[in-house]
Amino acid sequence: MRSWARAVVFFAVLGLLASPVGAQEPIRIGVNFEMTGATAAYGQMGWEGIQTIRSMGYDTVLGRPVEVILVDNKSDRVEAANATTRLINQGVVAIIGTMTSGNALAAGPIAEQAGIPIIGPATTNPLVTQGRTHVFRACFTDNYQAEIAAQFAYENLGARRVAVISDIAQDYTVALGQYFTQAFERLGGQVVVTTYVRTGDQDFTAQLTAVANANPDLLYVPNYYTENALIARQARELGLTQPILSGDGADAPELLEIGGEAVEGLMHTAFWHEEAAVTDLGRQYIETYRRLYNKEPNSFGGLAADAYLMVLHAIEQAGSPDPAAIRDQLEAIHGLEVVTGPVIIENGDAIKPVVIRRVEGGEFRYMTTVYPPELQALASQ
């Protein structure tokens, strides 16, 4: 045997000895998150959630290791679309992300065309899944969230006249404001003024002057955390003392850091709160997250962990990492217990409870949980 041939045989045998017998190729799951940019807090919290659940032993499926590939979409729609393509080209069988609805509207069609299931942890805009067969969400939708917020404002807070301040640059915030207006007016309330801001704005004097002139009982601000915090600060500086109610976009530590005392008392609809943990898995997740990150868990991390668990469950039920089979099993989820509680999937949408929280003493405090009828029926079975 020639020397080069002996060398090839030697290194081939060495490679076999170095690899565990029966080792299998990993199953690849893509993660398309906003790790930098205007909404980076959501992506960073989501990534911590996935790392937490994986550290709890959920890093294999069908006896094979799960490899998670993270791509930063930079909080940008074009980058979100590009990130989806990059992940598909790397052979992922499913994608988790994006965290925001606007980016999901850019990423979803690409995954749909490729036949790769994609699940957004916190993509609440109903349009995200509309007309799609491979696009899913792990959270409730904005129309349901807005209905609960309107009911809470009217019945619990006694509001009859509301001002809505939405970010015109974000699909999510505009839609949430519109859904709230429709639900609040159905109850008999009145939206006395609707005014708009834009992501990155620093001065809201004109908008808040219009609000002051309308003299509402309540300010509804369905925006992301930075704009909400700045609106709250400037509203208090201008002498507006009305309660402030927001949506899930307020759920970030940055709201407290930027808003300071001005966001004390701010209430918002949310996906989850650790005091509302109803499953053993949720309680274990809380303990693990605290140990890993030395801070309290958040709903965006919990939802990302939910999305990851839903994908693993679908692969397990399918008995295969085939994307088409994973898609079918995601749609079949009914009562699966994940970190934030039980979940049902219908036409790509997740049916989940809504939590209402309030900022007190510089922290998000749990107020109450509202369960949709479908989950109430499931619990009684």
Side-chain angles (χ1 to χ4, degrees):
M1 183 181 292
R2 295 183 178 179
S3 59
W4 64 265
R6 286 196 297 268
V8 168
V9 172
F10 171 77
F11 285 114
V13 172
L14 185 63
L16 288 173
L17 292 174
S19 301
V21 176
Q24 299 189 57
E25 284 293 312
I27 294 173
R28 292 183 167 184
I29 297 175
V31 176
N32 183 349
F33 277 176
E34 293 79 345
M35 300 302 292
T36 59
T39 54
Y42 302 136
Q44 292 164 10
M45 289 187 286
W47 183 240
E48 289 176 353
I50 289 177
Q51 295 295 88
T52 299
I53 199 69
R54 282 174 58 81
S55 75
M56 293 167 58
Y58 295 92
D59 56 356
T60 62
V61 66
L62 302 179
R64 294 169 60 179
V66 175
E67 179 183 353
V68 176
I69 303 174
L70 172 66
V71 177
D72 177 16
N73 63 44
K74 304 177 184 178
S75 304
D76 179 83
R77 297 185 190 192
V78 174
E79 291 290 343
N82 292 339
T84 305
T85 300
R86 288 170 58 191
L87 288 168
I88 292 169
N89 290 340
Q90 292 184 68
V92 301
V93 299
I95 297 173
I96 299 170
T98 62
M99 294 297 288
T100 64
S101 294
N103 290 335
L105 289 169
I110 295 172
E112 181 87 11
Q113 185 174 11
I116 300 296
I118 182 169
I119 178 167
T123 49
T124 52
N125 191 316
L127 294 176
V128 168
T129 58
Q130 188 172 308
R132 305 291 179 193
T133 59
H134 286 68
V135 183
F136 299 84
R137 73 179 95 235
C139 57
F140 49 66
T141 58
D142 282 332
N143 48 348
Y144 180 68
Q145 171 182 196
E147 186 174 331
I148 297 302
Q151 182 178 335
F152 181 76
Y154 192 88
E155 297 179 359
N156 297 74
L157 303 180
R160 295 297 181 267
R161 294 164 51 84
V162 172
V164 176
I165 308 174
S166 297
D167 184 346
I168 194 68
Q170 303 292 341
D171 298 319
Y172 152 76
T173 62
V174 172
L176 189 53
Q178 292 172 343
Y179 290 130
F180 175 88
T181 297
Q182 294 164 6
F184 190 70
E185 291 180 343
R186 280 198 302 270
L187 290 169
Q190 182 183 6
V191 174
V192 293
V193 61
T194 299
T195 186
Y196 296 98
V197 300
R198 184 175 292 275
T199 303
D201 285 353
Q202 299 293 311
D203 183 4
F204 307 110
T205 303
Q207 293 92 335
L208 290 170
T209 299
V211 170
N213 291 336
N215 191 30
D217 302 324
L218 173 78
L219 276 60
Y220 184 63
V221 291
N223 309 306
Y224 292 129
Y225 50 89
T226 300
E227 284 67 37
N228 282 341
L230 293 175
I231 288 170
R233 286 179 58 180
Q234 292 179 33
R236 299 317 184 210
E237 290 169 1
L238 289 172
L240 293 169
T241 60
Q242 291 94 332
I244 299 176
L245 179 63
S246 186
D248 63 280
D251 187 2
E254 285 78 1
L255 176 86
L256 310 175
E257 296 167 8
I258 299 169
E261 292 185 2
V263 297
E264 280 290 309
L266 181 147
M267 294 159 283
H268 74 100
T269 44
F271 302 111
W272 183 65
H273 187 277
E274 57 269 25
E275 290 182 30
V278 295
T279 66
D280 289 338
L281 179 60
R283 289 184 280 271
Q284 293 167 14
Y285 173 89
I286 291 168
E287 294 176 5
T288 305
Y289 184 91
R290 286 171 175 162
R291 185 174 67 252
L292 289 176
Y293 297 103
N294 195 31
K295 59 183 179 181
E296 293 303 308
N298 53 76
S299 58
F300 286 94
L303 284 172
D306 286 357
Y308 178 84
L309 289 170
M310 290 163 70
V311 171
L312 259 61
H313 169 81
I315 295 172
E316 188 74 44
Q317 291 298 113
S320 162
D322 174 60
I326 295 171
R327 190 228 75 86
D328 291 344
Q329 291 302 323
L330 282 172
E331 186 61 52
I333 288 176
H334 189 87
L336 176 68
E337 291 198 351
V338 289
V339 168
T340 66
V343 59
I344 297 171
I345 295 294
E346 287 187 0
N347 299 317
D349 295 335
I351 298 174
K352 278 188 164 181
V354 177
V355 168
I356 298 177
R357 311 196 309 179
R358 177 186 175 97
V359 178
E360 293 181 10
E363 296 181 354
F364 291 111
R365 300 288 188 182
Y366 172 72
M367 293 184 70
T368 188
T369 301
V370 180
Y371 286 89
E374 295 90 340
L375 289 177
Q376 293 176 359
L378 188 66
S380 64
Q381 292 176 0

